[in-house]
PDB file of all heavy atoms in Angstrom:
ATOM      1  N   ASP A  21     -15.446 -11.175 -19.775  1.00 87.00           N
ATOM      2  CA  ASP A  21     -16.584 -11.273 -18.863  1.00 87.00           C
ATOM      3  C   ASP A  21     -17.247  -9.915 -18.669  1.00 87.00           C
ATOM      4  O   ASP A  21     -16.568  -8.902 -18.522  1.00 87.00           O
ATOM      5  CB  ASP A  21     -16.124 -11.779 -17.492  1.00 87.00           C
ATOM      6  CG  ASP A  21     -15.723 -13.241 -17.555  1.00 87.00           C
ATOM      7  OD1 ASP A  21     -16.173 -13.949 -18.466  1.00 87.00           O
ATOM      8  OD2 ASP A  21     -14.945 -13.664 -16.690  1.00 87.00           O
ATOM      9  N   VAL A  22     -18.580  -9.935 -18.655  1.00 95.00           N
ATOM     10  CA  VAL A  22     -19.295  -8.691 -18.384  1.00 95.00           C
ATOM     11  C   VAL A  22     -19.240  -8.396 -16.889  1.00 95.00           C
ATOM     12  O   VAL A  22     -19.172  -9.304 -16.061  1.00 95.00           O
ATOM     13  CB  VAL A  22     -20.764  -8.744 -18.877  1.00 95.00           C
ATOM     14  CG1 VAL A  22     -20.819  -8.881 -20.386  1.00 95.00           C
ATOM     15  CG2 VAL A  22     -21.547  -9.824 -18.194  1.00 95.00           C
ATOM     16  N   THR A  23     -19.218  -7.105 -16.555  1.00 95.00           N
ATOM     17  CA  THR A  23     -19.160  -6.660 -15.165  1.00 95.00           C
ATOM     18  C   THR A  23     -20.542  -6.660 -14.534  1.00 95.00           C
ATOM     19  O   THR A  23     -20.711  -6.981 -13.377  1.00 95.00           O
ATOM     20  CB  THR A  23     -18.566  -5.232 -15.106  1.00 95.00           C
ATOM     21  OG1 THR A  23     -17.330  -5.236 -15.825  1.00 95.00           O
ATOM     22  CG2 THR A  23     -18.329  -4.791 -13.679  1.00 95.00           C
ATOM     23  N   ALA A  24     -21.538  -6.273 -15.341  1.00 97.00           N
ATOM     24  CA  ALA A  24     -22.907  -6.150 -14.822  1.00 97.00           C
ATOM     25  C   ALA A  24     -23.891  -6.374 -15.960  1.00 97.00           C
ATOM     26  O   ALA A  24     -23.551  -6.218 -17.126  1.00 97.00           O
ATOM     27  CB  ALA A  24     -23.106  -4.768 -14.218  1.00 97.00           C
ATOM     28  N   THR A  25     -25.113  -6.737 -15.583  1.00 97.00           N
ATOM     29  CA  THR A  25     -26.180  -6.938 -16.560  1.00 97.00           C
ATOM     30  C   THR A  25     -27.364  -6.057 -16.190  1.00 97.00           C
ATOM     31  O   THR A  25     -27.696  -5.928 -15.015  1.00 97.00           O
ATOM     32  CB  THR A  25     -26.627  -8.419 -16.581  1.00 97.00           C
ATOM     33  OG1 THR A  25     -25.513  -9.221 -16.990  1.00 97.00           O
ATOM     34  CG2 THR A  25     -27.777  -8.640 -17.551  1.00 97.00           C
ATOM     35  N   LEU A  26     -27.976  -5.462 -17.206  1.00 98.00           N
ATOM     36  CA  LEU A  26     -29.155  -4.623 -17.019  1.00 98.00           C
ATOM     37  C   LEU A  26     -30.226  -5.099 -17.992  1.00 98.00           C
ATOM     38  O   LEU A  26     -29.995  -5.173 -19.190  1.00 98.00           O
ATOM     39  CB  LEU A  26     -28.792  -3.158 -17.317  1.00 98.00           C
ATOM     40  CG  LEU A  26     -29.926  -2.142 -17.217  1.00 98.00           C
ATOM     41  CD1 LEU A  26     -30.451  -2.052 -15.790  1.00 98.00           C
ATOM     42  CD2 LEU A  26     -29.449  -0.784 -17.699  1.00 98.00           C
ATOM     43  N   ASP A  27     -31.383  -5.441 -17.464  1.00 97.00           N
ATOM     44  CA  ASP A  27     -32.501  -5.890 -18.296  1.00 97.00           C
ATOM     45  C   ASP A  27     -33.495  -4.743 -18.435  1.00 97.00           C
ATOM     46  O   ASP A  27     -34.170  -4.375 -17.471  1.00 97.00           O
ATOM     47  CB  ASP A  27     -33.164  -7.111 -17.650  1.00 97.00           C
ATOM     48  CG  ASP A  27     -34.295  -7.681 -18.499  1.00 97.00           C
ATOM     49  OD1 ASP A  27     -34.764  -6.995 -19.432  1.00 97.00           O
ATOM     50  OD2 ASP A  27     -34.717  -8.807 -18.216  1.00 97.00           O
ATOM     51  N   ILE A  28     -33.565  -4.171 -19.645  1.00 97.00           N
ATOM     52  CA  ILE A  28     -34.510  -3.074 -19.885  1.00 97.00           C
ATOM     53  C   ILE A  28     -35.576  -3.493 -20.901  1.00 97.00           C
ATOM     54  O   ILE A  28     -36.173  -2.647 -21.554  1.00 97.00           O
ATOM     55  CB  ILE A  28     -33.793  -1.780 -20.338  1.00 97.00           C
ATOM     56  CG1 ILE A  28     -32.911  -2.026 -21.564  1.00 97.00           C
ATOM     57  CG2 ILE A  28     -32.989  -1.175 -19.200  1.00 97.00           C
ATOM     58  CD1 ILE A  28     -32.363  -0.749 -22.199  1.00 97.00           C
ATOM     59  N   THR A  29     -35.818  -4.797 -21.007  1.00 96.00           N
ATOM     60  CA  THR A  29     -36.784  -5.282 -21.998  1.00 96.00           C
ATOM     61  C   THR A  29     -38.203  -4.815 -21.693  1.00 96.00           C
ATOM     62  O   THR A  29     -39.043  -4.791 -22.582  1.00 96.00           O
ATOM     63  CB  THR A  29     -36.763  -6.826 -22.110  1.00 96.00           C
ATOM     64  OG1 THR A  29     -36.984  -7.394 -20.813  1.00 96.00           O
ATOM     65  CG2 THR A  29     -35.438  -7.314 -22.662  1.00 96.00           C
ATOM     66  N   ARG A  30     -38.495  -4.443 -20.452  1.00 95.00           N
ATOM     67  CA  ARG A  30     -39.845  -3.976 -20.100  1.00 95.00           C
ATOM     68  C   ARG A  30     -39.939  -2.449 -20.057  1.00 95.00           C
ATOM     69  O   ARG A  30     -40.999  -1.903 -19.783  1.00 95.00           O
ATOM     70  CB  ARG A  30     -40.256  -4.533 -18.731  1.00 95.00           C
ATOM     71  CG  ARG A  30     -40.373  -6.034 -18.726  1.00 95.00           C
ATOM     72  CD  ARG A  30     -40.778  -6.534 -17.350  1.00 95.00           C
ATOM     73  NE  ARG A  30     -40.700  -7.973 -17.244  1.00 95.00           N
ATOM     74  CZ  ARG A  30     -41.658  -8.814 -17.634  1.00 95.00           C
ATOM     75  NH1 ARG A  30     -42.754  -8.355 -18.159  1.00 95.00           N
ATOM     76  NH2 ARG A  30     -41.494 -10.116 -17.503  1.00 95.00           N
ATOM     77  N   GLU A  31     -38.822  -1.767 -20.302  1.00 91.00           N
ATOM     78  CA  GLU A  31     -38.804  -0.299 -20.254  1.00 91.00           C
ATOM     79  C   GLU A  31     -39.164   0.286 -21.615  1.00 91.00           C
ATOM     80  O   GLU A  31     -39.018  -0.372 -22.636  1.00 91.00           O
ATOM     81  CB  GLU A  31     -37.414   0.206 -19.861  1.00 91.00           C
ATOM     82  CG  GLU A  31     -36.918  -0.293 -18.522  1.00 91.00           C
ATOM     83  CD  GLU A  31     -37.638   0.324 -17.342  1.00 91.00           C
ATOM     84  OE1 GLU A  31     -38.203   1.411 -17.477  1.00 91.00           O
ATOM     85  OE2 GLU A  31     -37.634  -0.311 -16.279  1.00 91.00           O
ATOM     86  N   VAL A  32     -39.610   1.543 -21.621  1.00 87.00           N
ATOM     87  CA  VAL A  32     -39.856   2.255 -22.872  1.00 87.00           C
ATOM     88  C   VAL A  32     -38.994   3.517 -22.898  1.00 87.00           C
ATOM     89  O   VAL A  32     -38.582   4.017 -21.851  1.00 87.00           O
ATOM     90  CB  VAL A  32     -41.351   2.641 -23.035  1.00 87.00           C
ATOM     91  CG1 VAL A  32     -42.198   1.400 -23.206  1.00 87.00           C
ATOM     92  CG2 VAL A  32     -41.845   3.467 -21.862  1.00 87.00           C
TER      93      VAL A  32
END
Side-chain angles (χ1 to χ4, degrees):
D21 290 338
V22 296
T23 308
T25 298
L26 178 64
D27 183 345
I28 55 170
T29 55
R30 296 180 189 276
E31 301 288 337
V32 293

